[in-house]
Amino acid sequence: MIEKLVKIIVQRLKLRAANKTSIAVSKMPRDPVAIFMESGTVRLTQVNKHFLERILSGNRAESLSIWFEKAAEYGVDIELELYDHGEPWLNYEILSQLDFPVFTSTGERLFYSSGRVICYGDSALIPSGSTLCKYKKQLITPLANEYLSKNNIAVRERQ
């Protein structure tokens, strides 16, 4: 009897871990428990500058804080998807301050290195197929550049 119960629980946990749900920021439910019970990953879509600023501000809206705390309690991974490519409104430095992975609406994962020089160690942390966002003033070492091109990591640059 107990073995059957354990088997069912393990099966449900595996299904939950594989399940991914997308929710528009404007339609985030007040009580996300039902979503967290069914999904191991929740992607918040249509994220804009205002929402990112709310996440980073020390005094977030209470409902937003509760939402993220419940996600942590349930072991849910939160992902943020920008409503567009994040140009030109996205301040790249925000990417390194967020605790959540950030994606464009086309699925590119965005990374930012805050150093003046982007070296191999910085680039080696970026998964293949992602995008490195940098400012013109930042330099990339030849070894890092080789790693980026070899691993199909796009580089997005702006002033």
Side-chain angles (χ1 to χ4, degrees), residues 117-157:
V117 176
I118 299 169
C119 61
Y120 177 80
D122 299 322
S123 62
L125 299 173
I126 302 171
S128 181
S130 299
T131 299
L132 170 66
C133 300
K134 73 179 245 356
Y135 292 109
K136 275 195 189 247
K137 64 183 177 187
Q138 291 178 295
L139 304 173
I140 300 177
T141 65
L143 189 59
N145 214 5
E146 180 183 326
Y147 179 85
L148 293 171
S149 58
K150 187 168 100 176
N151 288 289
N152 196 28
I153 299 170
V155 177
R156 186 182 295 178
E157 179 179 281

Side-chain angles (χ1 to χ4, degrees), residues 9-81:
I9 292 171
V10 168
Q11 185 180 21
R12 293 258 313 151
L13 289 174
K14 285 180 181 179
L15 284 172
R16 179 182 173 264
N19 195 17
K20 189 177 204 174
T21 301
S22 293
I23 302 170
V25 169
S26 60
K27 297 181 180 177
M28 285 173 57
R30 267 183 118 57
D31 187 15
V33 172
I35 294 166
F36 294 163
M37 292 290 289
E38 297 294 322
S39 301
T41 303
V42 174
R43 181 174 284 196
L44 298 176
T45 62
Q46 301 176 2
V47 171
N48 58 24
K49 182 179 181 179
H50 175 69
F51 187 78
L52 291 177
E53 289 169 348
R54 281 179 49 205
I55 290 175
L56 292 173
S57 71
N59 50 358
R60 299 192 275 235
E62 187 178 320
S63 60
L64 187 59
S65 294
I66 291 170
W67 218 89
F68 289 133
E69 287 169 11
K70 278 194 179 179
E73 286 174 17
Y74 282 82
V76 172
D77 295 322
I78 299 291
E79 299 175 347
L80 305 176
E81 181 182 295

Side-chain angles (χ1 to χ4, degrees), residues 67-130:
W67 218 89
F68 289 133
E69 287 169 11
K70 278 194 179 179
E73 286 174 17
Y74 282 82
V76 172
D77 295 322
I78 299 291
E79 299 175 347
L80 305 176
E81 181 182 295
L82 304 175
Y83 73 90
D84 61 4
H85 290 291
E87 297 290 342
W89 61 268
L90 180 64
N91 177 352
Y92 289 157
E93 285 136 5
I94 287 176
L95 296 174
S96 59
Q97 296 170 13
L98 291 167
D99 295 331
F100 312 108
V102 177
F103 296 84
T104 64
S105 57
T106 58
E108 294 175 272
R109 180 154 180 207
L110 302 178
F111 287 86
Y112 173 76
S113 177
S114 58
R116 192 171 167 88
V117 176
I118 299 169
C119 61
Y120 177 80
D122 299 322
S123 62
L125 299 173
I126 302 171
S128 181
S130 299

